[in-house]
Amino acid sequence: MKYISVLLLAAAFVSCGEEADVEQDIQTNNEIPTTEFNTKAAGGKVMMQAFYWDVPAGGTWWNTVQGKVSSWSSAGFDAIWLPPATKAQNGGYSMGYDPFDYFDFGSYNQMGSVETRFGSLSEIQALISAAHTNNLDVIADIVVNHNSGGASQYNPFTGGNTWTDFQPASGMFTRSYYDFHPNDYHSADAGAFGGFPDLCHDKQYVQDWLYNNSNSIAKYYKNVMGFDGWRFDYVKGFEPWVVKNFKNAVGGFTVGEYWDGNAATLESWANQAEASAFDFACYYRMRDAFMGNDLTQLNGDMLLKRNSYKAVTFVANHDTDEIYNNKLLAYAYIMTHEGYPCVFYRDYEEWLDKNKMNNLIWIHNNKASGTTSYLYADNDEYVARRNGSPGLIVYINNSDSWQERWVDTNWANTVIKDYTGNSGWEPTTQADTWVKVEAPPHGYTVWSVK
């Protein structure tokens, strides 16, 4: 999630709290229709983060994304990750990370607007339908650590007033001070964010509304709205079993934002949550490698090296964009290595060469298979081999001149070529599988069987 300014935090509390979830002792049991659809499961190709921080307001974003899903599918993406899609405390100005009403997708007049920042209920429904038509899964951003926008009420557990009275217009998942920390169950959980009301996941009522009930958030998002998978925000703030239970209730690809550069910590969380995790360890190794001109950093510990099936790799996202030198080289790294790559919207649509990005996506989807062997690294050069069929050799060169290197392949007496087009060589591997390859300055090549 994006860190919110101190000024905004102060304003949020003045106007009834910026990030808070609430409950009431009486729950509604609305009848929920279901929607059937068939899509290709996320995780096999490449995911698009289909937003950035402060996308244009005015309710146009869902339509913008809908206009791109066909081309994204053709380019080789298999999923789009959307921002938090329901009404938040800042209404039409909010990026959604200050959730108020989990069932208002832009149809209730509350928090100063009917539409969300991104659009109306009918527009997000049209977007999800278009994504499915184009064989794209739709990943929902789930923010359940904290809530925002509740009214002030006397709280016996604090001895004062707290912004914990949530009466959403949808009538679904009303909340009170019993559902936040401190309460009659315990004073805190794994972590809070920004002083906002911190939802208590140990309460049965909260669990029922999150994933147990037939009209829970999980089942409504899946069965009514048609979401296919889940990206959990700020999972440091609650226990891993919350993600596990949510995912087990409805299925679907699941990834958590555990913001930590320690690969062992990420692996531990992913194992406990039985979910994927964004590979911040890989991100920080790439930042140090490409911004610090030291490609030996790519030999460091990463989640993708510990458990590639649980690693979602990325070069930038809405929170952090520190790799601005040699960014295409970083994408060449994640597109040729293990893990599930996630592409940042602005990199793809605005900042980088889309043809080169599409080429790397094609390479990922068609050549990057099998285990990885790390062949060479120094300050300027990095070479690795994917051992699948046919597999590939990736050669990243961060120096100021062309470089050549002999490397060991899995192919004997075989003509190979560079599938990026950066080199015109078509060498034949020796009987012992060795071959000489090259890479351009501040560039990369990816070699495979011709």
Side-chain angles (χ1 to χ4, degrees):
M1 90 176 300
K2 194 79 172 181
Y3 286 104
I4 303 170
S5 70
V6 174
L7 187 60
L8 180 56
L9 296 183
F13 276 106
V14 170
S15 57
C16 300
E18 222 245 273
E19 289 194 52
D21 281 293
V22 186
E23 137 203 319
Q24 196 180 40
D25 293 330
I26 301 173
Q27 74 182 37
T28 59
N29 289 294
N30 302 21
E31 290 296 321
I32 302 300
T34 60
T35 299
E36 296 295 332
F37 52 85
N38 294 301
T39 62
K40 179 172 173 51
K45 293 185 176 180
V46 179
M47 177 165 60
M48 167 66 77
Q49 180 180 353
F51 66 100
Y52 53 93
W53 196 254
D54 284 345
V55 300
T60 62
W61 192 249
W62 297 146
N63 291 337
T64 296
V65 174
Q66 183 182 343
K68 296 181 181 297
V69 294
S70 177
S71 63
W72 290 347
S73 177
S74 297
F77 291 92
D78 62 3
I80 56 172
W81 157 27
L82 299 184
T86 53
K87 192 66 61 63
Q89 192 249 330
N90 283 312
Y93 297 99
S94 177
M95 285 296 296
Y97 291 95
D98 50 338
F100 174 75
D101 188 341
Y102 288 99
F103 297 89
D104 180 3
F105 287 85
S107 54
Y108 296 97
N109 188 0
Q110 58 181 339
M111 296 297 156
S113 68
V114 175
E115 292 189 345
T116 67
R117 182 189 191 99
F118 314 112
S120 67
L121 170 63
S122 62
E123 288 167 343
I124 190 173
Q125 288 173 326
L127 164 57
I128 293 172
S129 177
H132 290 161
T133 297
N134 286 279
N135 295 314
L136 292 170
D137 277 6
V138 184
I139 309 301
D141 203 319
I142 304 297
V143 186
V144 293
N145 175 72
H146 50 266
N147 290 172
S148 186
S152 177
Q153 63 179 177
Y154 177 73
N155 188 332
F157 302 110
T158 65
N161 278 35
T162 52
W163 304 103
T164 48
D165 182 12
F166 285 72
Q167 304 296 328
S170 68
M172 310 273 274
F173 195 19
T174 58
R175 287 146 281 169
S176 74
Y177 53 75
Y178 280 108
D179 308 308
F180 299 92
H181 298 110
N183 56 40
D184 54 341
Y185 186 85
H186 58 181
S187 61
D189 61 2
F193 179 79
F196 298 129
D198 187 55
L199 198 62
C200 180
H201 297 90
D202 291 285
K203 288 298 193 81
Q204 186 65 49
Y205 177 89
V206 173
Q207 294 175 22
D208 287 345
W209 270 111
L210 289 185
Y211 44 78
N212 287 333
N213 290 347
S214 62
N215 57 352
S216 64
I217 293 169
K219 292 171 185 175
Y220 190 95
Y221 279 44
K222 172 84 173 194
N223 298 328
V224 179
M225 295 302 297
F227 283 102
D228 308 286
W230 326 102
R231 179 267 184 187
F232 279 85
D233 180 66
Y234 191 63
V235 297
K236 280 188 175 183
F238 47 90
E239 302 302 331
W241 56 260
V242 176
V243 173
K244 176 182 175 181
N245 289 354
F246 190 107
K247 180 208 67 175
N248 287 345
V250 288
F253 176 80
T254 305
V255 59
E257 182 210 29
Y258 198 100
W259 197 330
D260 196 296
N262 186 298
T265 301
L266 296 173
E267 181 184 33
S268 176
W269 181 88
N271 288 339
Q272 292 177 70
E274 297 181 2
S276 296
F278 285 102
D279 195 347
F280 280 92
C282 173
Y283 171 78
Y284 286 120
R285 302 296 88 71
M286 290 193 299
R287 181 200 63 183
D288 295 344
F290 295 115
M291 297 300 294
N293 299 312
D294 180 9
L295 298 194
T296 66
Q297 294 292 327
L298 299 177
N299 288 333
D301 197 7
M302 305 174 187
L303 180 59
L304 71 87
K305 298 179 182 181
R306 291 170 170 262
N307 189 337
S308 62
Y309 294 103
K310 291 185 176 179
V312 176
T313 53
F314 65 100
V315 175
N317 63 27
H318 62 297
D319 280 334
T320 184
D321 186 18
E322 301 169 281
I323 306 172
Y324 48 86
N325 287 337
N326 307 304
K327 186 177 271 191
L328 263 175
L329 275 62
Y331 274 108
Y333 181 85
I334 68 169
M335 291 295 178
T336 55
H337 285 66
E338 294 167 87
Y340 181 36
C342 182
V343 172
F344 185 45
Y345 178 93
R346 301 197 82 169
D347 286 341
Y348 185 81
E349 291 290 341
E350 300 176 23
W351 293 339
L352 300 179
D353 186 320
K354 187 179 290 189
N355 290 328
K356 292 181 178 180
M357 292 290 287
N358 285 342
N359 170 254
L360 287 171
I361 293 167
W362 184 90
I363 288 170
H364 174 270
N365 294 345
N366 291 278
K367 300 295 183 182
S369 63
T371 60
T372 303
S373 297
Y374 303 95
L375 304 181
Y376 181 81
D378 61 21
N379 284 355
D380 296 325
E381 297 175 68
Y382 173 86
V383 188
R385 181 180 71 229
R386 294 296 298 275
N387 298 308
S389 179
L392 59 79
I393 298 286
V394 56
Y395 187 0
I396 298 174
N397 172 22
N398 200 26
S399 75
D400 295 330
S401 59
W402 280 86
Q403 299 294 330
E404 301 174 357
R405 189 160 294 280
W406 283 91
V407 296
D408 188 12
T409 76
N410 289 324
W411 315 299
N413 302 313
T414 301
V415 177
I416 65 172
K417 62 176 284 188
D418 166 35
Y419 278 85
T420 72
N422 291 329
S423 170
W425 284 6
E426 292 189 359
T428 300
T429 62
Q430 298 181 153
D432 63 0
T433 71
W434 283 76
V435 71
K436 184 164 71 171
V437 292
E438 66 173 359
H442 301 289
Y444 53 88
T445 46
V446 181
W447 305 83
S448 190
V449 176
K450 182 178 178 181

